[in-house]
Amino acid sequence: MARPPCFQLVLQCVGVSEGLNATVPAERAWTRAERWLLVTVLGLEMLLGIAGNSLVLLVKLLRRGQFCCRYWLPFLSLTLSDLGCSLLIVSGSMLAVVTGGQRSPWCEAVSLLKFAFVTSSIGSVAVLTVQRLIGPSSARGFLFVAMATVCLASWVTGVIFGSVPVVYTWIRYDPAEMLCAVFWESSYSDMLVYILCAFGVCIFLPFLLMLGCSLLSVTGCHDDRLEETDLSEVSPLLASVYVACYTPFFVSELILLGRPDLSPAPDWLRTLSSVMSYLDCGLNPLIYCCHQDFRQAGLALLWTRRAVLSEPVLTAACKVEP
């Protein structure tokens, strides 16, 4: 049945977007220039993340004998997380900017997957920093099983906490974040309990491990005689870049915690948090390339014909008559 014109006007005034996952409060619309600037930035981040992490996987699989990587498990988990985020989340945000929203069920899937990728990333970096601090013994035996369990647990907890807002229908499209996110409308206590539990278990504990182990590694509080050429020497830089890229996201959540009226952080901060978190996925492959052996293995993979293993050796001589 057709809706009366007055009802259509009310819907427009309150900012209801038909066909999307849920109602969205009226917010400042992107100008044409802002929209295409965001599309360009997100497109570059997507290409950098997909190309970089795909190359990293190929180097790790095909050239693993050309560089030392004792702690391959957290590196593999981090690379898969970054690649998945670039393929699914960044591309989804770029498409949402162009089309003006995300539809169900992709809307709910994006929210769940983003939280899973964020949690697995920080968990992988935390495991890497712990293994580097402990030393080669953490790559075998019981300690290796424990580290593998922690890596898997970071993915599982991310999926669990990402599923809670989907089950309770707290998800809707946020134009500022350029993806479907959690919005709170009725209960400050629910929001407080969820954010404190999710951040405490999935973010805060790995962050403390990551920060503490990175500081100890930088100050030389570990045996690095066998770690000089290992790829894990880039772990402090990985941790630093992660913290820098996700700081806007953490700040926006802290602002939300301090607002009993449940109003979200400013639009510009939410947009910045998405752009910076996506940037981390593309920067990690560049950080790996700071390691000389890994960089040389990557170049050898890209330019196989130019990768000469040794100088020509004279194996036979033939006398030529004048």
Side-chain angles (χ1 to χ4, degrees), residues 2-316:
R3 294 169 176 169
C6 59
F7 187 66
Q8 294 282 3
L9 180 61
V10 171
L11 288 178
Q12 293 176 6
C13 291
V14 299
V16 175
S17 177
E18 295 186 76
L20 297 181
N21 178 58
T23 60
V24 180
E27 300 188 27
R28 183 184 66 85
W30 297 110
T31 65
R32 183 180 180 86
E34 290 172 338
R35 182 180 298 110
W36 287 110
L37 176 61
L38 285 173
V39 169
T40 302
V41 172
L42 294 175
L44 291 175
E45 290 181 337
M46 181 187 68
L47 292 176
L48 181 61
I50 294 176
N53 287 287
S54 297
L55 177 62
V56 167
L57 286 177
L58 289 176
V59 172
K60 290 177 180 178
L61 292 175
L62 302 179
R63 301 285 174 171
R64 58 183 179 272
Q66 296 185 11
F67 63 95
C68 181
C69 182
R70 294 182 180 88
Y71 317 121
W72 58 269
L73 182 61
F75 275 114
L76 179 62
S77 176
L78 180 59
T79 304
L80 291 176
S81 175
D82 291 340
L83 181 59
C85 184
S86 300
L87 279 171
L88 302 176
I89 309 302
V90 184
S91 61
S93 291
M94 184 176 63
L95 184 61
V97 173
V98 175
T99 60
Q102 290 177 333
R103 299 178 182 273
S104 181
W106 178 239
C107 182
E108 293 83 359
V110 164
S111 177
L112 189 155
L113 289 173
K114 183 180 180 183
F115 199 87
F117 290 143
V118 171
T119 304
S120 62
S121 294
I122 192 171
S124 300
V125 177
V127 169
L128 178 62
T129 55
V130 170
Q131 284 194 286
R132 176 165 171 78
L133 182 66
I134 295 176
S137 61
S138 64
R140 55 182 180 270
F142 171 77
L143 286 177
F144 174 77
V145 175
M147 296 302 162
T149 303
V150 173
C151 277
L152 179 61
S154 66
W155 284 89
V156 173
T157 54
V159 171
I160 292 174
F161 279 99
S163 301
V164 172
V166 175
V167 173
Y168 286 94
T169 63
W170 295 336
I171 306 296
R172 69 169 184 259
Y173 178 69
D174 180 14
E177 286 194 52
M178 303 168 291
L179 80 167
C180 287
V182 180
F183 275 83
W184 305 94
E185 296 178 346
S186 58
S187 175
Y188 178 79
S189 60
D190 288 346
M191 179 271 294
L192 185 65
V193 170
Y194 173 77
I195 292 183
L196 289 180
C197 290
F199 269 65
V201 175
C202 301
I203 305 296
F204 189 65
L205 289 179
F207 174 77
L208 289 181
L209 283 175
M210 182 176 66
L211 183 62
C213 294
S214 297
L215 290 176
L216 290 175
S217 297
V218 169
T219 55
C221 296
H222 74 298
D223 186 7
D224 60 354
R225 288 175 296 178
L226 298 177
E227 304 286 336
E228 293 178 356
T229 61
D230 193 86
L231 184 60
S232 64
E233 67 183 16
V234 303
S235 57
L237 186 55
L238 285 173
S240 301
V241 171
Y242 186 94
V243 172
C245 289
Y246 278 91
T247 293
F249 172 73
F250 299 147
V251 172
S252 66
E253 295 299 319
L254 291 176
I255 291 176
L256 178 61
L257 285 175
R259 292 181 170 179
D261 62 351
L262 301 176
S263 59
D267 291 354
W268 68 267
L269 182 58
R270 304 206 307 276
T271 301
L272 180 64
S273 68
S274 290
V275 171
M276 291 299 294
S277 62
Y278 299 156
L279 181 63
D280 180 68
C281 300
L283 290 180
N284 285 339
L286 299 179
I287 294 175
Y288 301 148
C289 292
C290 294
H291 189 268
Q292 182 179 359
D293 292 345
F294 186 87
R295 183 172 64 251
Q296 290 176 349
L299 292 175
L301 181 65
L302 291 174
W303 291 285
T304 306
R305 294 180 180 179
R306 298 175 55 185
V308 181
L309 299 179
S310 62
E311 295 182 357
V313 178
L314 182 63
T315 57

